[in-house]
């Protein structure tokens, strides 16, 4: 049963994506109530949307969105995998519930709160680690296809876009959603459940 068996999960996120943020808050709750080992990976929506015809407002957001994903990738390359989640938590908190719209400021706040060197911020405008960021993004797309965004989650090697949920379930409610995710991941031939969203992300 999912309540007792230890599972593995991989989670791909773009720090800019509010839906990935909501799902990551759920995944953090799951870690408290179910036996699961989670590995966190950067994903770039800017990379995903390169060359696509986008509405001007969304294109502008994508053009600004390179920075946070680049900084998270640089932190992973220079300070190891253990730096990824704390930095994502800190940058995401600034951007989403914190409402910080200046992404350079959000990155600086995130680095400070995650206890990482401030000079990592320079990588927001550098393509030095773009190959690694692109590879991380492509790995997620190889698992789920390129008609998705974030979050992408892989459960015991079976990968999906989602779950997309708001507000993020807590405690045993989070555990029950995880149990269902494990169940569908273990069902051969299962691909998708979907309905239109009727609510915006609800941040704590």
């Amino acid at each position: 049963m999912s309540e007792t068996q230890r599972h593995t999960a991989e989670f791909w996120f773009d720090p800019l994506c509010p839906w990935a943020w909501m799902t990551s808050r759920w995944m953090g709750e799951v870690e408290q109530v179910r036996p699961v080992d989670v590995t966190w990976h950067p994903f770039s929506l800017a990379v995903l949307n390169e060359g696509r015809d986008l509405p001007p407002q969304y294109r502008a957001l994508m053009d600004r969105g390179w920075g946070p994903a680049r900084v998270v990738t640089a932190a992973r390359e220079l300070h190891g995998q253990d730096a990824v989640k704390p930095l994502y938590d800190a940058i995401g908190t600034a951007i989403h519930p914190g409402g910080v719209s200046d992404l350079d400021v959000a990155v600086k706040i995130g680095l400070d709160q995650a206890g990482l060197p401030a000079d990592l911020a320079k990588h927001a405008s550098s393509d030095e680690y773009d190959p690694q960021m692109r590879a991380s993004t492509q790995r997620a797309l190889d698992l789920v296809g390129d008609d998705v965004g974030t979050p992408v989650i892989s459960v015991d090697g079976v990968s999906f876009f989602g779950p997309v949920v708001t507000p993020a379930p807590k405690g045993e409610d989070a555990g029950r959603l995880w149990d269902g995710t494990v169940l569908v991941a273990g069902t051969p031939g299962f691909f998708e459940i979907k309905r239109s969203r009727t609510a915006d992300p609800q941040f704590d």
Side-chain angles (χ1 to χ4, degrees), residues 152-170:
V152 170
I153 186 172
S154 185
V155 179
D156 296 332
V158 179
S159 305
F160 303 103
F161 167 69
V164 175
V165 61
T166 188
K170 294 179 172 58

Side-chain angles (χ1 to χ4, degrees), residues 11 13 24 27-28 31 38-42 81 84-85 88:
F11 192 109
F13 63 90
S24 73
M27 194 73 245
E31 289 181 288
V38 186
T39 304
W40 300 83
H41 302 291
Q81 180 63 42
V84 172
K85 180 59 162 42
Y88 175 40

Side-chain angles (χ1 to χ4, degrees), residues 71 74-75 78-79 87 107 111 116-124:
V71 172
L78 295 172
H79 297 276
L87 182 55
V107 163
L111 290 170
L116 290 166
D119 67 357
L120 280 172
K122 68 184 180 184
H123 293 285

Side-chain angles (χ1 to χ4, degrees):
M1 295 291 292
S2 121
E3 292 89 342
T4 57
Q5 178 184 347
R6 192 154 201 91
H7 297 277
T8 61
E10 295 183 86
F11 192 109
W12 283 265
F13 63 90
D14 186 312
L16 207 60
C17 177
W19 293 106
W21 177 254
M22 298 306 305
T23 306
S24 73
R25 300 309 91 186
W26 162 71
M27 194 73 245
E29 289 286 319
V30 172
E31 289 181 288
Q32 304 304 311
V33 297
R34 293 292 187 270
V36 57
D37 299 310
V38 186
T39 304
W40 300 83
H41 302 291
F43 183 107
S44 172
L45 290 171
V47 168
L48 175 67
N49 286 289
E50 275 185 312
R52 294 184 176 181
D53 185 17
L54 301 173
Q57 185 174 4
Y58 193 66
R59 170 52 63 195
L61 182 63
M62 289 299 96
D63 290 344
R64 294 171 55 232
W66 288 89
R70 279 174 163 168
V71 172
V72 172
T73 303
R76 184 186 66 179
E77 296 303 310
L78 295 172
H79 297 276
Q81 180 63 42
D82 288 347
V84 172
K85 180 59 162 42
L87 182 55
Y88 175 40
D89 287 345
I91 293 176
T93 297
I95 293 173
H96 300 298
V100 176
S101 59
D102 186 324
L103 299 183
D104 290 334
V105 171
V107 163
K108 291 176 182 177
I109 292 171
L111 290 170
D112 179 64
Q113 293 188 354
L116 290 166
D119 67 357
L120 280 172
K122 68 184 180 184
H123 293 285
S125 57
S126 167
D127 63 2
E128 181 177 359
Y129 293 106
D130 278 13
Q132 292 90 333
M133 183 176 70
R134 289 177 181 276
S136 183
T137 300
Q138 189 59 52
R139 180 161 174 258
L141 297 177
D142 288 344
L143 292 171
V144 295
D146 62 2
D147 59 343
V148 302
T150 56
V152 170
I153 186 172
S154 185
V155 179
D156 296 332
V158 179
S159 305
F160 303 103
F161 167 69
V164 175
V165 61
T166 188
K170 294 179 172 58
E172 188 56 26
D173 287 340
R176 283 194 292 269
L177 178 55
W178 170 253
D179 296 341
T181 304
V182 171
L183 177 63
V184 298
T187 302
F190 176 86
F191 292 102
E192 183 177 20
I193 293 175
K194 188 177 176 77
R195 65 173 176 165
S196 297
R197 300 173 198 163
T198 58
D200 292 329
Q202 299 172 37
F203 306 126
D204 291 336

